[in-house]
C-alpha cells in the first residue's frame, strides 16, 4: 500500500468483489466475517468520485512521532491542509468546517475540535476526503476525516510505552485489543504533560505559563449477531487543562482597584476543555442490500478563567467564559445493488444540539469622552442556543460502461433553531478510466452548511454600552447558513510501477460564506458570515515506492476571499466593515502556497529512517487581512528500531527531532480579522520513546 495516496474511486463494490476471490478459507471464520462486514459497511457510503487521501497504519508508525502523533500532525501530510494555531486545520481555503466520521458514523464537531481527541495509536487508517462530495456527506463540507479504528480480532495484542523529551514533555500510552468468544474489543489510553500547551506568543523556545495536562481514552467493541449482522459500540473521552501563555514586557493600559502596575509575565489565566462521545451502531446485510443504523451522543465544554486583576489592567475587562454543548441524534444508511450496473444508496440524519454559554465579565465604565475610570463592576450574560438538523439523501451509482461511472443524486436538508433554512443539493461525479493507469474524475456539488451550533453564543451588545467592552460597531445580526456551488476536476496517473502523479483543480462560489475568529483572550472561536465568497485552487501530488523506499510530496495553490459582512458585525471596526463592503478581501486563513513531503527508508533489519516536511507561504495579517505573514518551512526527522530483548518481548525504540533547523516561525502576529494573539510554531525539540508489544 502506498505511504500516502489519492484515490479517486469509481466503485468500492468492484474492489469488494475482487477481494472475494482471495483464499480466505485459511483464516478463522470470525476474522473472515469481520472483514466481510467491514467491506460491506464501507460500501454503504463510499467516496465515489471524490478525492480520498489515505494514510495507513504502517505509514503512521514509520513517520516521525509514530503512534504518539496527534491526528492534526498526521493530517498535515495531506494536500491542501494548512497549519493553524490551537491544533486547528484549514482545508482547501475553509476554516475548520470538517466532518469527522468514525467507522462510517458521522460525529458532530466539538467546541475545541475533535482532532485533539484522537491520537494515532487507535487508528487503522485515516483518510481525508475532499472535492465534490457524494450525497451522503452533508453539513460540514470542507472535507471528511474518515477514521477506521483498529480491530481487536484482526490485530490482537497491543503496546505499552512512553514518549517524551523537550519542553518537559512526557507522554505515556497504552493500547490493547483482542476477543472474548464472539466479542472483539480494542482500547487505547494516553496522557500528556508538557510545558508547551498553546502556541507560544513569543519567538523563544520556552513559553511562560504554558503548561498542559491531558488524558484521552477510546474503547471499541463489536459483536456479530448471526452471519450477517453486527452491533458495535465506540466511546471516547478527553480532558485537557491549559495555562494561557504570557508575553513579558507589556504595559497595562488601565487602572483598577487603585492599581495600575502589573508584570505581564505573571498573568495566571487558565482554560479547561472536555470532549466525550459514544456511538451505538447496528449493521445488517440482506442479500443485495447492506444497512447500518446508528445513534450517537457528544458532549463538549470549555471553561476559561481569567487573571481577574491582570486581564482588567491590560484589556480593561476580565471575562470568565463557559460554554457547553450537548448533541445527540441518529443516522441511517443503506446500499442496494439493484442491478449489475446500478447501486442505489440512501439514508437520513437527524440531530439536536443544545449549547449553553455563560460569560461573567468585570468591566470599567467610560466617561462621556470615552476614557475608562476606576470603578469596576460585573456583567453576567447567559443563554441557550438549540439547533435541529434533518437531512435525507438518495443517489445512484451507474456504471455506464466498463470505464465510465456516474454517481448522481441529491440530498435535502433542514436546519431549525439559530436560523430557519432548507435546501435541496444536487450532487454528481463522473469517473472515467481511459486506460488501466489513468483515472479522471469530474464532480459538482451543491452545499448547505448550517451555523456551527457548538460555537454560537448569545450576546446583547446594548448591555455593554458605556463600558470597556463596548463594541465600535453596534450590530450583531445572527449567523446564517452557508450555500455554495462546488466544482472539482481530478486526474491521477500511474506513470510507472513505482510512481503515481495527480493533479486536481477546484472552485467554490459561496453565498453567506462562514468563517471563524478568536475575539478576546479565551481560546474559543466565534462564527460570522461574508455576504459572498469565492475559493479556488490546484493541488499537485506525487507518490513513489520502490523496495525499501517510500516517498511522497504535495503542493497546493489556493485563494480564499470574501466580501461584505452580514452577521456578528460588532467584531469589527467601522473602517474594516467599510473596506470589506466595497472590495474583496482575503480571509484570515488564506495561504497561497502549502506543501508537505516525506518518506521512509527501511535501512536495516527492523530499522527505519523517516522524514517529513511542511511548508507554508504565510496566512494573512494587518488591516482587513491586507498583508501576509512570512513564509516558513519545518523539517522533522525520525529513527525507529524494533528489538527483541532477553525478556522475550518485542520492543520499539524511536528518536525524533522536530523542527530540525530550529526555525522561529510565526503563524500569527495578532493582527488581521479574528486573530486574538501572536502565535509562534514550535522550536526545535528532541524526543525519544520506548514501547513494548503486549
Amino acid at each position: 500500500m502506498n505511504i500516502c495516496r489519492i484515490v479517486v474511486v469509481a466503485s468500492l463494490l468492484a474492489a469488494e468483489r475482487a477481494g472475494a476471490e482471495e483464499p480466505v478459507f485459511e483464516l478463522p471464520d470470525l476474522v473472515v466475517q469481520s472483514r466481510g462486514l467491514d467491506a460491506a459497511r464501507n460500501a454503504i457510503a463510499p467516496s465515489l468520485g471524490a478525492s480520498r487521501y489515505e494514510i495507513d497504519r504502517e505509514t503512521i508508525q514509520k513517520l516521525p512521532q509514530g503512534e504518539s502523533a496527534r491526528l492534526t500532525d498526521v493530517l498535515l501530510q495531506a494536500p491542501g491542509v494548512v497549519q493553524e494555531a490551537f491544533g486547528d486545520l484549514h482545508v482547501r481555503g475553509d476554516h475548520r468546517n470538517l466532518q469527522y466520521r468514525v467507522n462510517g458514523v458521522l460525529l458532530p464537531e466539538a467546541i475545541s475540535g475533535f482532532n485533539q481527541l484522537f491520537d494515532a495509536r487507535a487508528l487503522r487508517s485515516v483518510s481525508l476526503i475532499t472535492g465534490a462530495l457524494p450525497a451522503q456527506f452533508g453539513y460540514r463540507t470542507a472535507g471528511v476525516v474518515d477514521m477506521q479504528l483498529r480491530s481487536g480480532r484482526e490485530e490482537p495484542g497491543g503496546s505499552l510505552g512512553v514518549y517524551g523529551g523537550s519542553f518537559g514533555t512526557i507522554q505515556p500510552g497504552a493500547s490493547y485489543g483482542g476477543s472474548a468468544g464472539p466479542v472483539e474489543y480494542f482500547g487505547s489510553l494516553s496522557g500528556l504533560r508538557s510545558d508547551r500547551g498553546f502556541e507560544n506568543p513569543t519567538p523563544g523556545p520556552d513559553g511562560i505559563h504554558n503548561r498542559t495536562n491531558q488524558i484521552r481514552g477510546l474503547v471499541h467493541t463489536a459483536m456479530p449477531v448471526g452471519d450477517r449482522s453486527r452491533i458495535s459500540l465506540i466511546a471516547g473521552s478527553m480532558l485537557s487543562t491549559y495555562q494561557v501563555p504570557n508575553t513579558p514586557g507589556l504595559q497595562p493600559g488601565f487602572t483598577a482597584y487603585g492599581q495600575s502596575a502589573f508584570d505581564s509575565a505573571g498573568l495566571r489565566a487558565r482554560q479547561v476543555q472536555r470532549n466525550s462521545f459514544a456511538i451505538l451502531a447496528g449493521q445488517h446485510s440482506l442479500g443485495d442490500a447492506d444497512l447500518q443504523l446508528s445513534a450517537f451522543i457528544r458532549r463538549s465544554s470549555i471553561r476559561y478563567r481569567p487573571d481577574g486583576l491582570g486581564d482588567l489592567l491590560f484589556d480593561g475587562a476580565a471575562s470568565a467564559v463557559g460554554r457547553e454543548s450537548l448533541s445527540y441524534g441518529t443516522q441511517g444508511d443503506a446500499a442496494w445493488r439493484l442491478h449489475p450496473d446500478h447501486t442505489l444508496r440512501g439514508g437520513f440524519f437527524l440531530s439536536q444540539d443544545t449549547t449553553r454559554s455563560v460569560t461573567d465579565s468585570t468591566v470599567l465604565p467610560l466617561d462621556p469622552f470615552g476614557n475608562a475610570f476606576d470603578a469596576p463592576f460585573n456583567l453576567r450574560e447567559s443563554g441557550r442556543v438549540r439547533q435541529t438538523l434533518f437531512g435525507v439523501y438518495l443517489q445512484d451509482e451507474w456504471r455506464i460502461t466498463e470505464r465510465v461511472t456516474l454517481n448522481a443524486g441529491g440530498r435535502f436538508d433542514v436546519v431549525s433553531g439559530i436560523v430557519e433554512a432548507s435546501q435541496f443539493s444536487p450532487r454528481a461525479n463522473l469517473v472515467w478510466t481511459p486506460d488501466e493507469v489513468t483515472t479522471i474524475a469530474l464532480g459538482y456539488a451543491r452545499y448547505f452548511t448550517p451555523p456551527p451550533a457548538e460555537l454560537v453564543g448569545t450576546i446583547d451588545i446594548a448591555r455593554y454600552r458605556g463600558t470597556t467592552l463596548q463594541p465600535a460597531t453596534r450590530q450583531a445580526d445572527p449567523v446564517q447558513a452557508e450555500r455554495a456551488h462546488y466544482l472539482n476536476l481530478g486526474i491521477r496517473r500511474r506513470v510507472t510501477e513505482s510512481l503515481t502523479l495527480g493533479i486536481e483543480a477546484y472552485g467554490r462560489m459561496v453565498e453567506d460564506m462562514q468563517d471563524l475568529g478568536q475575539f478576546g483572550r479565551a481560546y474559543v472561536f466565534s462564527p460570522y458570515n461574508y455576504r459572498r465568497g469565492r475559493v479556488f485552487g490546484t493541488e499537485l501530488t506525487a507518490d513513489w515506492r520502490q523496495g525499501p523506499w517510500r516517498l511522497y510530496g504535495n503542493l497546493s495553490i489556493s485563494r480564499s476571499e470574501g466580501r461584505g459582512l452580514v452577521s456578528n458585525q460588532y467584531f469589527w471596526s467601522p473602517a474594516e466593515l467599510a473596506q470589506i463592503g466595497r472590495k474583496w478581501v482575503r480571509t484570515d486563513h488564506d495561504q497561497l502556497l502549502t506543501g508537505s513531503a516525506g518518506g521512509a527508508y527501511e535501512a536495516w533489519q527492523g530499522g527505519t529512517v523517516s522524514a517529513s516536511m511542511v511548508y507554508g507561504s504565510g496566512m494573512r495579517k494587518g488591516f482587513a487581512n491586507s498583508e501576509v505573514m512570512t513564509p516558513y518551512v519545518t523539517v522533522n526527522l525520525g529513527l525507529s528500531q524494533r528489538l527483541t530483548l532477553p525478556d522475550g518481548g518485542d520492543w520499539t525504540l524511536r528518536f525524533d527531532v522536530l523542527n530540525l533547523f530550529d526555525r522561529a516561525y510565526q503563524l500569527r502576529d495578532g493582527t488581521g480579522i479574528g486573530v486574538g494573539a501572536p502565535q509562534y510554531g514550535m522550536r526545535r525539540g528532541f524526543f525519544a520513546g520506548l514501547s513494548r508489544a503486549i
Side-chain angles (χ1 to χ4, degrees):
M1 181 175 289
N2 291 339
I3 188 167
C4 293
R5 61 183 180 178
I6 287 187
V7 182
V8 183
V9 183
S11 172
L12 289 182
L13 290 178
E16 180 189 351
R17 294 189 181 103
E21 298 174 1
E22 296 178 356
V24 296
F25 54 87
E26 296 180 1
L27 298 172
D29 291 343
L30 287 175
V31 174
V32 175
Q33 182 181 5
S34 177
R35 289 183 177 178
L37 288 169
D38 285 346
R41 180 189 64 209
N42 294 334
I44 293 174
S47 53
L48 298 169
S51 303
R52 174 184 286 268
Y53 193 91
E54 181 180 335
I55 305 174
D56 60 23
R57 178 162 180 76
E58 181 182 1
T59 299
I60 294 172
Q61 290 177 312
K62 289 184 176 179
L63 287 177
Q65 300 184 79
E67 288 190 339
S68 299
R70 299 179 303 174
L71 178 59
T72 300
D73 299 322
V74 176
L75 291 174
L76 280 176
Q77 304 307 309
V81 179
V82 176
Q83 180 182 7
E84 175 60 287
F86 321 140
D88 256 1
L89 299 172
H90 307 302
V91 176
R92 288 196 170 189
D94 221 327
H95 193 148
R96 198 180 281 185
N97 193 24
L98 292 171
Q99 181 178 132
Y100 290 83
R101 196 169 73 155
V102 183
N103 283 7
V105 180
L106 184 154
L107 195 60
E109 176 68 291
I111 296 174
S112 58
F114 262 122
N115 50 30
Q116 300 182 46
L117 196 152
F118 296 92
D119 56 24
R121 73 184 72 251
L123 303 178
R124 179 189 296 181
S125 69
V126 58
S127 300
L128 178 63
I129 306 172
T130 57
L133 301 175
Q136 68 262 25
F137 299 118
Y139 310 123
R140 300 290 167 247
T141 53
V144 179
V145 180
D146 188 18
M147 294 173 284
Q148 299 295 320
L149 301 180
R150 293 171 61 183
S151 167
R153 177 163 287 122
E154 296 189 42
E155 303 174 73
S159 64
L160 178 67
V162 64
Y163 182 81
S166 298
F167 316 112
T169 301
I170 302 175
Q171 189 173 354
S175 64
Y176 189 78
S179 58
V183 179
E184 67 169 304
Y185 56 88
F186 177 83
S188 68
L189 181 67
S190 64
L192 172 66
R193 185 274 183 199
S194 175
D195 293 330
R196 192 180 186 282
F198 292 126
E199 276 69 19
N200 192 355
T202 64
D206 299 315
I208 300 172
H209 190 254
N210 197 14
R211 179 174 298 176
T212 182
N213 291 286
Q214 304 176 19
I215 185 169
R216 56 179 57 82
L218 182 76
V219 174
H220 172 215
T221 64
M223 181 180 69
V225 180
D227 296 332
R228 293 178 171 268
S229 302
R230 176 171 60 182
I231 297 176
S232 302
L233 174 66
I234 306 170
S237 186
M238 179 269 284
L239 170 64
S240 300
T241 62
Y242 295 91
Q243 296 175 335
V244 176
N246 299 329
T247 302
L250 301 180
Q251 296 301 316
F254 300 88
T255 299
Y257 305 110
Q259 300 187 47
S260 59
F262 200 101
D263 182 3
S264 61
L267 291 168
R268 291 293 180 263
R270 298 173 181 272
Q271 185 158 304
V272 178
Q273 301 176 178
R274 293 180 172 89
N275 290 321
S276 58
F277 75 94
I279 297 171
L280 180 64
Q283 181 186 346
H284 181 66
S285 293
L286 180 63
D288 292 327
D290 296 299
L291 307 93
Q292 178 164 281
L293 180 65
S294 60
F296 60 84
I297 185 170
R298 184 269 296 148
R299 182 182 293 274
S300 177
S301 68
I302 279 183
R303 297 286 186 272
Y304 171 79
R305 294 293 177 261
D307 185 307
L309 177 61
D311 281 19
L312 195 57
L313 295 183
F314 286 101
D315 300 333
S319 298
V321 178
R323 188 166 293 174
E324 181 174 322
S325 175
L326 174 65
S327 181
Y328 55 89
T330 182
Q331 174 185 342
D333 299 280
W336 180 25
R337 293 174 289 279
L338 178 65
H339 182 274
D341 296 331
H342 291 273
T343 299
L344 295 180
R345 294 182 174 88
F348 70 91
F349 179 85
L350 174 64
S351 73
Q352 180 168 284
D353 192 303
T354 302
T355 301
R356 293 178 173 86
S357 59
V358 177
T359 303
D360 286 304
S361 300
T362 302
V363 299
L364 300 175
L366 301 176
D367 64 22
F369 302 100
N371 300 311
F373 57 94
D374 187 359
F377 67 97
N378 296 324
L379 284 174
R380 179 182 175 87
E381 187 160 24
S382 62
R384 184 177 67 175
V385 173
R386 178 171 292 173
Q387 179 168 275
T388 301
L389 297 178
F390 174 72
V392 293
Y393 73 89
L394 181 66
Q395 60 188 347
D396 176 28
E397 179 192 355
W398 178 22
R399 299 174 188 174
I400 301 174
T401 70
E402 287 296 321
R403 296 193 176 276
V404 179
T405 299
L406 175 65
N407 186 60
R411 60 179 299 127
F412 180 75
D413 297 293
V414 180
V415 56
S416 177
I418 301 172
V419 296
E420 304 293 329
S422 62
Q423 178 176 291
F424 173 72
S425 305
R427 309 281 180 90
N429 280 287
L430 184 67
V431 181
W432 177 38
T433 54
D435 53 48
E436 298 299 326
V437 296
T438 306
T439 301
I440 302 173
L442 175 64
Y444 165 80
R446 177 72 165 147
Y447 286 151
F448 176 75
T449 305
E454 71 278 359
L455 300 180
V456 175
T458 57
I459 187 170
D460 180 3
I461 59 177
R463 299 188 63 200
Y464 299 95
R465 187 176 301 173
T467 75
T468 43
L469 281 181
Q470 173 181 287
T473 301
R474 299 176 183 177
Q475 187 175 0
D477 291 330
V479 181
Q480 300 297 310
E482 176 184 295
R483 305 171 191 268
H485 297 277
Y486 197 108
L487 192 64
N488 191 90
L489 174 63
I491 303 174
R492 183 175 64 92
R493 182 173 178 83
R494 192 176 71 248
V495 180
T496 69
E497 289 298 321
S498 302
L499 177 63
T500 300
L501 301 177
I503 180 171
E504 292 213 16
Y506 61 90
R508 181 163 62 103
M509 301 303 296
V510 194
E511 176 186 348
D512 293 330
M513 183 172 75
Q514 293 180 14
D515 201 353
L516 303 175
Q518 181 202 354
F519 304 94
R521 284 188 176 266
Y523 286 63
V524 181
F525 285 108
S526 297
Y528 55 92
N529 297 92
Y530 290 95
R531 183 178 70 255
R532 296 168 59 197
R534 56 191 185 192
V535 183
F536 47 89
T538 302
E539 295 175 352
L540 305 173
T541 63
D543 188 279
W544 184 76
R545 181 183 69 172
Q546 187 170 17
W549 288 95
R550 297 185 176 187
L551 306 174
Y552 68 92
N554 308 300
L555 178 65
S556 300
I557 305 170
S558 175
R559 181 163 181 160
S560 172
E561 51 191 9
R563 184 170 183 173
L565 287 166
V566 295
S567 66
N568 283 338
Q569 296 90 338
Y570 72 97
F571 290 146
W572 293 273
S573 68
E576 286 176 318
L577 283 175
Q579 177 82 344
I580 299 170
R582 65 173 174 260
K583 64 177 295 185
W584 291 92
V585 300
R586 303 290 186 91
T587 59
D588 69 287
H589 55 271
D590 176 71
Q591 183 164 273
L592 179 62
L593 297 174
T594 303
S596 61
Y601 174 57
E602 298 180 7
W604 55 85
Q605 182 65 35
T608 301
V609 179
S610 63
S612 65
M613 181 274 290
V614 173
Y615 166 79
S617 62
M619 291 181 286
R620 309 303 294 187
K621 67 175 182 177
F623 173 77
N625 301 332
S626 57
E627 303 174 59
V628 65
M629 297 294 300
T630 303
Y632 65 90
V633 61
T634 60
V635 177
N636 304 324
L637 294 181
L639 174 65
S640 65
Q641 176 66 56
R642 296 192 303 274
L643 304 169
T644 301
L645 297 184
D647 67 350
D650 293 328
W651 294 77
T652 299
L653 175 67
R654 67 177 308 114
F655 177 74
D656 300 314
V657 184
L658 306 185
N659 194 358
L660 175 66
F661 301 108
D662 199 23
R663 174 73 180 271
Y665 64 99
Q666 196 171 25
L667 297 171
R668 301 288 196 180
D669 72 348
T671 67
I673 297 173
V675 179
Q679 296 142 10
Y680 283 83
M682 187 181 72
R683 296 291 295 272
R684 181 170 56 208
F686 299 93
F687 302 88
L690 181 65
S691 62
R692 186 189 190 280
I694 55 176

